[in-house]
Amino acid sequence: MKVIILGGYGVFGGRLAQLLRDVPDLRIFIAGRDGEKARKFCSSIKGQAKFEPVAIDRRDIGAALSEIEPDLLVDATGPFQQYGSNPYSVVEACIDARVNYLDFADGADFVFGVSKYDDAAKAAGIYLLSGVSSFPVLTAAVLREFAKTMDIKKVIGGIAPSPHAGIGLNVMRAVIGYAGTPVKLLRDGKESFGIGLAESKRFTIAVPGRLPLRNIHFSLVDVPDLQVIPPQHPTMTDIWMGAGPVPEVLHRILNLLAKAKHALRLASLVPFSRLFYRILNLMKFGEHRGGMFVTASGQANGKPVERSWHLLAEADDGPLIPSMAIEAIVRKTVAGDRPPPGSRPAINALELSDYDSLFRGREIYTGFRDDLEQGPIYRTALGPAFATLPQQVVALHDSLSERQWVGTAQIQRGSSLLGRILAAFISAPPSGNDIPVTVTFKPDDKGEWWIRNFGGKIFKSHQRLGTGKNTHLIMERFGVVEVALALVIEDERLKLVPRHWSLMGFPLPQSLLPKGNSFESEEGGSFHFDVEIAAPVIGLVCAYKGTLEPQ
């Protein structure tokens, strides 16, 4: 099977080539205006697929199609919003040459408009699918899953790329191009407009049982989802899609520029694209993690519901996700399962099960949450992952009533001067072995008190569910100090991972955040706890471990 990837040495085209390099039945032409770049790319990639460089200008695509006679052309160039008076020239050339076509288009108008070629594509016996990427293919697959159990009214979604992923110049041009301009969307049941990059929301991407991303600032983007998804859901009244690039300070500068352009009717910001492209690709710091979310609110059995789907991608696996939809279609085509003829947006091209197969073996994790579900704070924070905990860990946390658990503990205090001072400040118990311990759990209207009695020494804290920027976290307060904890399930242990902290509500330096290896588990049929409180420079403050059983 011969495939031309137009823009094959670029960001998305290059990642697609990387994903397909293990398919022996493929002959892939890495195409672009710069033949030397195509040659260097082909020499750098190894695999079972055969790669060949070719210099092609999209304005002369017809001649290239006649010469190569490919089975498929993938357009990975862009920006699709800025293709001038004849944006569909490549599409028309593929129809004339009877060549199947896929693209990464992120322009809503471009993707929505490709349906006008449906009759011509069917007559030619080929498929033309536009917008074959996370927005809108993955979004649409998630919403179809939601729609099995609810009537969808309002949808909010977003993508948060890793700061280390890098961004292509054409993507930046597309984003800057619609900054401060009207973006078509559905709002309050009517066709309306938002302002690109001038409207913002915050969200925490938290796959149940996994370390969540930090709370992220998302801004409205002009993506196909806004136009092609609402017709699939007759009860839908609102849809909003955003992107959450970091660092946030640069993101907020873009917000200000977008608002100024709209309010003052300034000229296009596209001339600044290269500047932002360079700055964003230089500022690669922070966690190498990315994610995506989709929330839907509506009705189920006459009751209001709100559900969310979360995706978390670690390290270098995240940047591959936008190219995986085309990867899946190519692999299916090689196996004899090709899309039916016609020209249309790609929203029905894949299901979540197809993505599950693509994610398998990678550090990409997904999960659903019922966001209106309430109960014990640990059950609520962990969502469906709570049921996977060991039986005794579930038993300790799965109650809204006052209760007591008893057992024994070993306690060790830090030896440094600062460690002893901090231990005294939080009223940590003294060192000792086989210390009798009683833990009393007292729920209140905000959460619950944990009153630990270590041989007569009281050490208490208050735990509650986080809200706002701390959504899906547990907030534990020791006097005037409060620590935000993520609940992570790993190797049948519930790990408590500090994410940030504050003193009397004022944020404290992240570099001084107390950490340590703290977890809960089950050993010999009993609840086991192992808590370590340590801080940079200071070292160990206090550590205690032992077992508990219900009183």
Side-chain angles (χ1 to χ4, degrees):
M1 177 177 172
K2 291 193 288 186
V3 178
I4 293 177
I5 303 180
L6 194 58
Y9 50 78
V11 174
F12 293 119
R15 289 168 182 164
L16 175 62
Q18 178 185 344
L19 290 168
L20 294 173
R21 62 184 175 179
D22 66 330
V23 183
D25 297 324
L26 289 180
R27 184 180 174 189
I28 300 175
F29 294 84
I30 301 297
R33 288 178 295 181
D34 193 324
E36 181 60 21
K37 286 184 178 179
R39 186 193 64 78
K40 287 181 178 179
F41 181 89
C42 289
S43 64
S44 69
I45 190 168
K46 307 297 180 184
Q48 294 176 281
K50 183 179 180 182
F51 292 91
E52 298 180 31
V54 58
I56 298 177
D57 189 311
R58 62 181 299 111
R59 292 172 295 184
D60 302 320
I61 192 65
L65 295 177
S66 298
E67 180 180 348
I68 297 173
E69 296 183 338
D71 301 285
L72 170 68
L73 181 139
V74 177
D75 192 347
T77 54
F80 291 84
Q81 297 92 334
Q82 299 172 22
Y83 275 162
S85 59
N86 186 17
Y88 297 104
S89 59
V90 175
V91 171
E92 292 170 355
C94 285
I95 294 173
D96 292 340
R98 298 180 182 271
V99 173
N100 297 297
Y101 168 94
L102 302 171
D103 68 39
F104 285 91
D106 57 354
D109 288 335
F110 183 95
V111 175
F112 190 73
V114 79
S115 296
K116 66 184 179 182
Y117 294 99
D118 189 49
D119 290 340
K122 288 176 179 176
I126 61 172
Y127 59 83
L128 306 171
L129 302 184
S130 186
V132 194
S133 192
S134 308
F135 281 170
V137 178
L138 185 47
T139 311
V142 171
L143 291 174
R144 282 196 295 275
E145 196 67 25
F146 283 147
K148 292 177 181 178
T149 57
M150 65 181 289
D151 293 326
I152 297 172
K153 289 190 175 181
K154 296 184 178 181
V155 172
I156 299 173
I159 286 181
S162 163
H164 300 267
I167 185 171
L169 179 57
N170 283 336
V171 173
M172 181 56 71
R173 284 180 177 141
V175 173
I176 295 296
Y178 58 71
T181 65
V183 172
K184 295 177 186 177
L185 47 69
L186 185 67
R187 183 169 283 168
D188 297 326
K190 301 176 183 178
E191 293 184 1
S192 185
F193 294 91
I195 304 302
L197 295 186
E199 299 180 12
S200 300
K201 301 179 185 292
R202 300 198 72 92
F203 194 83
T204 299
I205 296 173
V207 175
R210 297 283 175 180
L211 184 68
L213 293 183
R214 300 190 187 279
N215 185 260
I216 293 173
H217 177 82
F218 291 86
S219 295
L220 177 66
V221 289
D222 182 20
V223 290
D225 313 51
L226 300 173
Q227 294 189 45
V228 300
I229 286 179
Q232 288 203 322
H233 303 277
T235 58
M236 187 180 295
T237 62
D238 296 78
I239 184 169
W240 190 98
M241 306 300 292
V246 289
E248 189 171 318
V249 61
L250 183 61
H251 186 164
R252 288 189 175 275
I253 291 173
L254 280 171
N255 291 154
L256 289 173
L257 289 172
K259 291 176 181 179
K261 179 186 181 303
H262 175 68
L264 302 176
R265 299 183 180 181
L266 301 177
S268 172
L269 301 176
V270 171
F272 297 98
S273 300
R274 189 172 292 276
L275 174 62
F276 277 100
Y277 162 75
R278 288 175 177 172
I279 294 174
L280 196 62
N281 282 291
L282 284 174
M283 301 180 75
K284 295 182 178 181
F285 51 82
E287 297 178 327
H288 191 5
R289 314 171 73 220
M292 178 177 173
F293 77 94
V294 180
T295 69
S297 58
Q299 296 277 324
N301 300 319
K303 297 180 180 180
V305 292
E306 186 173 315
R307 292 172 181 153
S308 59
W309 174 86
H310 303 247
L311 178 148
L312 176 65
E314 303 286 358
D316 292 332
D317 282 336
L320 298 174
I321 295 174
S323 301
M324 286 183 173
I326 292 182
E327 176 202 0
I329 293 173
V330 172
R331 289 182 182 274
K332 284 187 169 190
T333 301
V334 169
D337 181 14
R338 56 175 277 163
S343 182
R344 56 196 176 274
I347 49 175
N348 295 314
L350 299 174
E351 300 296 337
L352 277 185
S353 57
D354 295 309
Y355 275 100
D356 289 339
S357 299
L358 295 167
F359 296 161
R360 195 170 296 124
R362 298 187 180 275
E363 288 190 276
I364 301 174
Y365 310 100
T366 63
F368 290 89
R369 289 180 176 271
D370 285 319
D371 295 325
L372 297 183
E373 186 177 282
Q374 295 295 318
I377 59 174
Y378 277 64
R379 176 180 284 278
T380 304
L382 281 168
F386 183 79
T388 68
L389 290 169
Q391 182 178 354
Q392 288 300 308
V393 179
V394 169
L396 182 134
H397 292 291
D398 201 18
S399 176
L400 292 172
S401 303
E402 184 172 336
R403 59 208 184 275
Q404 274 191 344
W405 286 55
V406 298
T408 58
Q410 293 176 301
I411 305 168
Q412 179 185 359
R413 277 217 190 180
S415 57
S416 70
L417 175 61
L418 289 176
R420 294 198 302 271
I421 292 173
L422 187 54
F425 181 73
I426 64 174
S427 301
S431 299
N433 294 317
D434 297 322
I435 305 298
V437 57
T438 299
V439 183
T440 303
F441 302 90
K442 287 190 174 182
D444 60 18
D445 58 349
K446 294 182 179 180
E448 62 183 11
W449 285 97
W450 286 39
I451 305 171
R452 308 165 184 85
N453 186 330
F454 292 96
K457 174 67 175 178
I458 302 298
F459 177 46
K460 67 179 182 178
S461 64
H462 185 270
Q463 296 189 2
R464 63 179 176 87
L465 278 173
T467 58
K469 291 185 178 182
N470 297 311
T471 300
H472 304 308
L473 300 178
I474 295 291
M475 308 301 294
E476 184 163 23
R477 177 165 51 84
F478 303 88
V480 295
V481 175
E482 189 168 58
V483 181
L485 301 170
L487 304 183
V488 179
I489 300 174
E490 192 174 285
D491 299 326
E492 297 187 343
R493 292 176 170 180
L494 176 59
K495 301 181 69 174
L496 294 91
V497 182
R499 296 298 276 166
H500 57 84
W501 63 326
S502 63
L503 175 68
M504 299 178 66
F506 295 97
L508 291 172
Q510 193 75 12
S511 59
L512 299 179
L513 174 66
K515 297 184 178 178
N517 184 27
S518 299
F519 63 88
E520 301 173 354
S521 62
E522 182 176 319
E523 292 186 7
S526 297
F527 175 88
H528 175 79
F529 60 91
D530 193 323
V531 178
E532 179 184 22
I533 304 173
V537 181
I538 295 175
L540 180 66
V541 175
C542 180
Y544 53 92
K545 62 182 178 180
T547 58
L548 294 172
E549 293 185 355
Q551 178 73 48

